[in-house]
Amino acid sequence: MNHQSAQARWERHTQRPLLALAVAFTVAYAVPIVDHSAGHSLTYACTVVEWVVWAAFAVDYLMRLALAPRRGEFVRTHWVDLCAVVLPLLQPLRLLRMVSTLLLVGRRARMASQIRLTTYVAGAVIGLLMFGSLAVLSVERDSPNGNIRTLGDAVWWSFTTMTTVGYGDHAPTTGLGRMIAVGLMLSGIALLGVVTANIAAWFIARFEKDDVEERRQTEAIAALAEEVRLLRAEVARLADEREQQRS
């Protein structure tokens, strides 16, 4: 119980600092891509920030593992966190650091009970649009046959890809860009399913609430009608007794 309490306290206290670090990672990841003419020193500083953020999430995972009462079960149930921590070490690409940070932020955000599903979905949509745009721009801008050259083109492509519209005016030409497209399409379909299910659940809950209220009112009316019937029967009985006493 003490270990569980310590783990819960750690997760509660580190949630906001880790989200702030994720914002710092977003800025560090975006600056060299948006500012293609950034100097070596600025690019190096952004890379350092990205690795520092990843290291913070790695330390967070190790601390949660150390505080877990059953570490084997923790590793089995948090295997996505483990993959996100190990992924950048296997191949130190900036895109993989971005993917691992997205996974870790998402996992930690889902632990927060105060974050509603709608807020989480909205944040996921914005995050995927932003990182998808930056990622595809970083790999497609220098491609000889690429047609995604500006941030505006990348944002438009990400939006049409996530909504599965696919106008075709912009499309990735590299293998990595197409992998990003597949990820965005699958994420868009999944988020659309979550939103649809959430809306349907809201309507069902409203209908069930209305049905319960209607049944309650019907039962109350039936009970009132029964009381009126009994009252009439009692009045009729008293009237009969009075007539009998007079006669």
Side-chain angles (χ1 to χ4, degrees):
M1 183 63 68
N2 292 332
H3 287 286
Q4 291 178 344
S5 300
Q7 181 183 354
R9 287 197 302 271
W10 172 267
E11 292 173 352
R12 184 174 63 254
H13 292 319
T14 57
Q15 178 179 308
R16 290 184 178 180
L18 288 178
L19 290 178
L21 287 175
V23 173
F25 174 89
T26 302
V27 176
Y29 180 80
V31 166
I33 298 175
V34 176
D35 187 8
H36 195 50
S37 60
H40 175 73
S41 58
L42 179 59
T43 303
Y44 178 78
C46 292
T47 303
V48 171
V49 171
E50 293 174 12
W51 279 109
V52 168
V53 172
W54 170 84
F57 277 102
V59 171
D60 171 69
Y61 177 83
L62 293 177
M63 286 297 300
R64 291 159 56 206
L65 176 62
L67 296 173
R70 291 182 292 273
R71 296 177 182 176
E73 182 180 351
F74 180 86
V75 173
R76 289 193 301 271
T77 56
H78 296 76
W79 61 271
V80 175
D81 302 47
L82 179 60
C83 292
V85 169
V86 175
L87 188 63
L89 291 178
L90 300 180
Q91 180 66 37
L93 294 175
R94 299 179 69 248
L95 181 60
L96 292 184
R97 292 200 295 274
M98 181 268 292
V99 172
S100 65
T101 303
L102 278 179
L103 290 174
L104 290 170
V105 170
R107 296 284 292 182
R108 290 304 303 270
R110 278 195 293 271
M111 293 177 187
S113 59
Q114 67 270 22
I115 297 180
R116 297 180 181 272
L117 177 61
T118 303
T119 305
Y120 178 77
V121 171
V125 169
I126 295 173
L128 286 172
L129 280 174
M130 179 177 60
F131 280 105
S133 302
L134 294 173
V136 77
L137 181 61
S138 65
V139 300
E140 291 290 325
R141 180 165 46 195
D142 297 329
S143 175
N145 299 323
N147 54 19
I148 302 176
R149 303 292 185 182
T150 65
L151 183 61
D153 294 340
V155 172
W156 171 250
W157 171 84
S158 297
F159 190 83
T160 57
T161 301
M162 281 194 64
T163 56
T164 65
V165 174
Y167 281 107
D169 52 349
H170 296 288
T173 57
T174 63
L176 188 55
R178 289 170 180 170
M179 291 177 60
I180 296 172
V182 171
L184 278 180
M185 285 185 283
L186 294 177
S187 301
I189 294 172
L191 289 173
L192 181 61
V194 171
V195 172
T196 304
N198 194 27
I199 294 175
W202 182 82
F203 276 109
I204 292 174
R206 290 290 301 178
F207 291 150
E208 290 180 349
K209 183 178 179 180
D210 293 340
D211 290 342
V212 170
E213 182 65 21
E214 184 177 354
R215 287 196 298 268
R216 188 186 66 80
Q217 293 178 358
T218 302
E219 293 173 356
I221 292 172
L224 181 59
E226 179 65 18
E227 291 179 0
V228 171
R229 187 185 66 79
L230 294 175
L231 182 58
R232 285 180 176 177
E234 182 67 18
V235 170
R237 186 183 64 80
L238 292 175
D240 291 341
E241 290 180 355
R242 182 174 296 181
E243 290 294 333
Q244 291 177 0
Q245 291 176 358
R246 288 180 180 178
S247 61

